[in-house]
């Protein structure tokens, strides 16, 4: 056998063994004055955090051009009662008995419901509005907030309901105060 071939084979085997061996990280003692620092350690840390979007507080219901909160103009009596905003008892009835009058729960407001037209009028207080206008507001506040007021009969005003061509606001005044603030369905048949 050829000695040089044996020598190359042994060298190749030793080289392969050197490439695949794992280094020994065991610290050794040394007599020299210089010391080798220990190998750097890799630290991996996982932090798990649950982030929950806080629940926004419920928004305060307010009167708008289409109704009060989920109570909308034109709803049938059954739909209106389903909102849980109407008291179930008829307070006074309407003209000719075709309407019922209900308290709006917890507000001081009232709503007329017509058998023919559904919810036709919502009487609202200052506390039911976002702008501070309602029954009990001053005439000055009314005129500042509703710039589209038109004089109506006596000491009252009307204003268009923004975005709702089927409704209008009506405000009655006495002694510089709003005594009636109403969102009416056009052609409502429950009151004058």
């Amino acid at each position: 056998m050829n000695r040089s071939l044996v020598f190359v084979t042994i060298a190749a085997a030793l080289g392969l063994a050197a490439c695949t061996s794992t280094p020994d990280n065991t610290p050794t003692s040394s007599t020299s004055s210089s010391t080798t620092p220990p190998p750097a350690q890799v630290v991996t840390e996982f932090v798990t955090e649950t982030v929950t979007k806080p629940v926004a507080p419920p928004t305060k219901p307010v009167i708008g051009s289409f109704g009060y909160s989920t109570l909308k103009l034109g709803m049938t009596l059954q739909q209106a009662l389903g909102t849980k905003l109407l008291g179930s008892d008829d307070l006074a009835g309407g003209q000719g008995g075709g309407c019922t009058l209900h308290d709006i729960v917890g507000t001081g407001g009232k709503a007329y419901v017509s058998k023919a037209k559904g919810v036709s009028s919502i009487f609202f207080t200052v506390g039911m509005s976002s702008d501070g206008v309602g029954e009990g507001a001053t005439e000055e506040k009314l005129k500042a907030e509703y710039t589209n007021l038109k004089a109506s009969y006596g000491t009252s005003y009307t204003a268009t309901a923004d975005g709702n061509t089927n409704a209008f606001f009506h405000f009655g005044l006495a002694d510089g105060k709003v005594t009636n603030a109403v969102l009416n369905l056009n052609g409502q048949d429950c009151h004058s």
Side-chain angles (χ1 to χ4, degrees):
M1 183 178 211
N2 188 350
R3 286 184 182 214
S4 59
L5 180 58
V6 171
F7 182 70
V8 172
T9 306
I10 292 172
L14 288 174
L16 182 59
C19 289
T20 59
S21 68
T22 34
D24 183 15
N25 288 332
T26 310
T28 59
S29 60
S30 167
T31 56
S32 73
S33 62
S34 67
T35 58
T36 348
Q41 292 182 348
V42 177
V43 177
T44 306
E45 182 178 337
F46 293 98
V47 177
T48 304
E49 183 176 331
T50 303
V51 179
T52 305
K53 183 178 179 183
V55 176
T59 57
K60 176 187 168 221
V62 293
I63 193 78
S65 295
F66 294 88
Y68 174 73
S69 187
T70 56
L71 178 65
K72 305 296 182 193
L73 291 175
M75 283 182 155
T76 66
L77 177 58
Q78 204 61 23
Q79 290 169 328
L81 290 171
T83 67
K84 307 288 188 215
L85 290 171
L86 279 192
S88 60
D89 295 330
D90 180 18
L91 298 177
Q95 296 178 344
C99 297
T100 54
L101 179 63
H102 302 264
D103 279 323
I104 300 174
V105 177
T107 65
K110 299 190 180 340
Y112 272 109
V113 182
S114 164
K115 287 182 182 173
K117 298 180 181 256
V119 176
S120 59
S121 297
I122 300 173
F123 290 75
F124 59 97
T125 64
V126 169
M128 295 169 69
S129 70
S130 62
D131 56 14
V133 175
E135 184 179 322
T138 64
E139 183 175 2
E140 181 181 348
K141 179 72 171 171
L142 170 66
K143 289 180 176 178
E145 295 296 330
Y146 286 80
T147 57
N148 62 349
L149 288 174
K150 293 183 181 173
S152 189
Y153 58 89
T155 56
S156 63
Y157 295 95
T158 61
T160 58
D162 294 338
N164 186 356
T165 57
N166 294 317
F168 67 97
F169 289 97
H170 181 265
F171 301 97
L173 289 105
D175 300 321
K177 295 265 188 194
V178 177
T179 56
N180 283 314
V182 188
L183 174 63
N184 286 309
L185 189 63
N186 290 343
Q188 63 83 17
D189 58 356
C190 293
H191 57 89
S192 53

